[in-house]
Amino acid sequence: MNQRQQGITHSTNFINGEWVDSDERIKVENPANGMLVGTIARAMPTHVDQAVSAARQCHNDRLIAGMAPYQRMQLLHAIAEQIRTLAKRGGKLLCLENGKPLSAAEWEFEEAARYFEYYAGMADKIEGQSIPLGEGLVDFTEYEPFGVSAQIIPWNFPVSLVARSLAPALAAGNSVVIKSPELTPLAVALLGEAMVNAKVPPGGVNILCGYGHDTGVALAAHSDIDQIVFTGSVATGQSIMKAAVEHVVPCVMELGGKSAGVVFADANLDQVISSADVGNLFNSGQVCSAMSRLIVHESVYEEVKQRLVACFSTKSIGAGMDEADVTPILTNIQLDKIAGMCARAKEQGAHCLVGGMPLDQAGYFMPPTLIEADANTEIAQQEVFGPVLVLMKFNTPQEAYDIANGTDFGLVAGVFTQNLSLALRASRALVAGQVFVNEWFAGGISTPFGGVGKSGFGREKGQEALYNYVRTKNIAIRLTP
Ligand code: NAD
């Protein structure tokens, strides 16, 4: 149940098609001013048991798995329609709890609806193969749903990321247990209303909000889940993978990044600057695929630097409700982490061109920050998850690739050049799951996304992601003579 009392939202968990309260509540604050936005019932490990058992029952009763594919398509379209009706109410809630601009928060609901529409279109196209074995045999494959899909979600795009994993899982016929992020759970809880109104069978979608260290751990270690889809930090991903080993449960891991753009001498610098602006500052840099390093050819380095200084120093900083360019960092802990990394970078000889220190005011604000640093320093190696862009210089293409590929991560990368051959050669040389040429964040719901190295494995988005949510069964038949 999602109730509003005196401007505060109070939500509960959604299990087996019902709203389930708890003895304890988690408080949710607005990072722009520390005000209480709402509370949510804290799911405990017992709620995890209830949710997994409801999802298992739904699967065993074939309530989703047994639907004709066109019925699953219709169900996903109905969910999309319901999510759109939540955009205003949910967008406001997400803006308040997460801090992001209101327009971006409303857009998350639109994007979520589009994920459901995209995978609705695929629900009746999950086709197996026929394999020739000679006259006396017939052999074919079928894709069947895993069963119970456990999905653990981070706070930076909570609504959109729920949809990214939930929509293909349902399209393929799974039942799902979602662990929403404890820092921004309220907008996700609203999705339970969409599930009720779209008539998702009981147990088909369960949404729990609890802390990672108990509820998240209990879900990842549960003996009756069939897969884990995790989006979040590397450290949490590693601990979830260890839990998955116990029951031999397959995982999809969408983890962090330290993505680099490479600017060649002939690049269109307007494209470079607008890409660095959106690539680094969108969501205040709290994006796994943010452009966090820009590696620039020495012949255009000074011009790029000057233009970036002008761009980064003129951004508005403020609350999401005011549609500021740069909105708050989610927590004081994260703000302190960013500030600490910037301070250590300066101690290690980095040159801070813009920003570098949190704003001395209420709320958790970090200004856009531009830093020249060596490739092997902490700030150039580790994920910051804030509006901090590290600027570096190169001479030969190989030098640029070595710097770009010289971290533990490999989520996305960018190439800026007018030369098609160079763009393709560079795209192949860069170690990343996705490469953007001349525009950061090019692509969308239909383009596969995922990492290399510590950025994880498996691909979300696109047709390919659907195959995260099915397993192949081969059926071989001996014909009677
Ligand atoms: P996080 O790892 O701290 O938390 C993510 C989720 O895991 C939360 O729901 C949390 O409660 C839960 N959790 C925490 N500890 C757990 C445990 N031991 N067992 C089970 N669950 C646990 O990440 P975050 O701070 O919410 O998100 C930021 C990180 O997510 C960044 O590193 C970012 O790059 C990454 N991210 C990746 C993608 C992607 O698609 N690759 C997208 C968004 C964010």
Side-chain angles (χ1 to χ4, degrees):
M1 198 173 3
N2 299 289
Q3 280 182 336
R4 229 168 123 71
Q5 289 166 344
Q6 295 168 343
I8 306 290
T9 298
H10 299 287
S11 302
T12 58
N13 297 294
F14 182 67
I15 303 172
N16 204 21
E18 290 178 356
W19 298 99
V20 178
D21 213 337
S22 162
D23 295 338
E24 283 185 44
R25 301 197 76 79
I26 295 174
K27 286 185 180 166
V28 182
E29 290 178 357
N30 182 342
N33 54 24
M35 305 271 285
L36 187 68
V37 179
T39 70
I40 188 159
R42 175 181 172 188
M44 306 301 276
T46 51
H47 295 109
V48 173
D49 288 339
Q50 287 171 22
V52 172
S53 143
R56 174 62 59 201
Q57 195 62 49
C58 176
H59 188 67
N60 287 350
D61 292 345
R62 314 297 290 166
L63 298 182
I64 296 176
M67 282 179 172
Y70 82 91
Q71 292 173 315
R72 285 207 294 271
M73 177 187 77
Q74 289 173 335
L75 180 67
L76 267 71
H77 274 299
I79 296 172
E81 198 177 310
Q82 290 300 325
I83 288 177
R84 279 210 176 85
T85 68
L86 296 170
K88 283 279 168 218
R89 186 157 63 108
K92 185 170 174 206
L93 206 46
L94 182 58
C95 168
L96 292 175
E97 66 178 339
N98 176 288
K100 64 178 63 196
L102 182 60
S103 55
E106 288 177 358
W107 170 254
E108 265 201 50
F109 282 81
E110 173 60 24
E111 190 172 53
R114 290 189 194 183
Y115 272 115
F116 280 92
E117 286 167 346
Y118 180 82
Y119 288 106
M122 287 198 68
D124 58 354
K125 298 172 191 69
I126 309 173
E127 296 168 353
Q129 264 188 331
S130 151
I131 298 163
L133 288 180
E135 282 198 355
L137 288 157
V138 171
D139 189 288
F140 59 94
T141 60
E142 283 187 344
Y143 288 117
E144 54 186 31
F146 275 102
V148 177
S149 172
Q151 307 187 346
I152 301 179
I153 307 293
W155 51 262
N156 58 340
F157 295 94
V159 173
S160 168
L161 293 176
V162 163
R164 186 174 84 174
S165 302
L166 176 59
L170 289 179
N174 295 279
S175 303
V176 180
V177 179
I178 295 162
K179 210 299 267 164
S180 69
E182 61 272 31
L183 293 165
T184 62
L186 300 174
V188 172
L190 280 190
L191 296 178
E193 293 183 16
M195 302 307 144
V196 172
N197 294 336
K199 301 195 170 33
V200 174
V205 177
N206 305 273
I207 307 174
L208 302 176
C209 178
Y211 294 110
H213 66 82
D214 51 9
T215 309
V217 166
L219 181 57
H222 205 285
S223 58
D224 204 22
I225 58 170
D226 297 305
Q227 71 160 178
I228 303 176
V229 181
F230 173 69
T231 306
S233 64
V234 176
T236 307
Q238 286 167 327
S239 109
I240 288 172
M241 280 185 273
K242 284 180 194 152
V245 163
E246 188 64 29
H247 301 293
V248 194
V249 170
C251 300
V252 174
M253 287 283 145
E254 292 282 358
L255 310 178
K258 190 70 192 173
S259 303
V262 175
V263 179
F264 288 100
D266 67 338
N268 175 328
L269 296 192
D270 290 342
Q271 287 175 339
V272 172
I273 303 304
S274 63
S275 286
D277 182 350
V278 67
N280 186 261
L281 301 180
F282 176 55
N283 217 37
S284 304
Q286 300 169 119
V287 182
C288 53
S289 52
M291 177 202 283
S292 61
R293 298 176 294 153
L294 195 60
I295 305 163
V296 185
H297 190 263
E298 57 188 15
S299 63
V300 287
Y301 185 83
E302 283 307 319
E303 187 178 350
V304 169
K305 178 168 134 181
Q306 278 170 26
R307 290 183 63 175
L308 280 177
V309 167
C311 172
F312 273 43
S313 44
T314 48
K315 292 288 159 190
S316 62
I317 304 169
M321 276 295 169
D322 300 331
E323 291 288 331
D325 296 327
V326 177
T327 48
I329 299 302
L330 187 68
T331 63
N332 59 340
I333 296 169
Q334 177 61 16
L335 184 67
D336 289 348
K337 182 188 152 204
I338 298 170
M341 288 181 83
C342 291
R344 285 193 295 280
K346 287 183 229 166
E347 283 161 23
Q348 289 170 3
H351 184 205
C352 187
L353 302 163
V354 184
M357 299 259 284
L359 299 191
D360 187 13
Q361 64 178 62
Y364 313 130
F365 292 97
M366 183 74 192
T369 295
L370 190 62
I371 293 186
E372 286 176 302
D374 286 343
N376 56 3
T377 55
E378 180 198 37
I379 197 90
Q381 287 285 321
Q382 299 305 324
E383 185 178 50
V384 177
F385 225 56
V388 178
L389 180 62
V390 178
L391 205 53
M392 286 171 279
K393 205 184 276 186
F394 76 91
N395 180 358
T396 66
Q398 190 56 50
E399 220 181 300
Y401 307 149
D402 288 345
I403 298 171
N405 296 340
T407 74
D408 290 341
F409 300 96
L411 194 52
V412 302
V415 177
F416 296 88
T417 175
Q418 302 302 302
N419 179 327
L420 183 60
S421 295
L422 183 58
L424 285 174
R425 285 184 189 285
S427 300
R428 287 177 175 164
L430 291 169
V431 178
Q434 185 173 26
V435 180
F436 305 128
V437 177
N438 292 333
E439 184 188 274
W440 205 266
F441 295 138
I445 288 169
S446 56
T447 52
F449 176 85
V452 175
K454 284 196 176 167
S455 291
F457 52 84
R459 294 291 176 265
E460 289 280 59
K461 307 193 342 185
Q463 294 188 28
E464 203 169 319
L466 197 67
Y467 298 94
N468 287 333
Y469 299 92
V470 289
R471 55 188 168 209
T472 307
K473 178 172 278 174
N474 180 264
I475 299 176
I477 306 168
R478 166 66 68 190
L479 301 180
T480 48

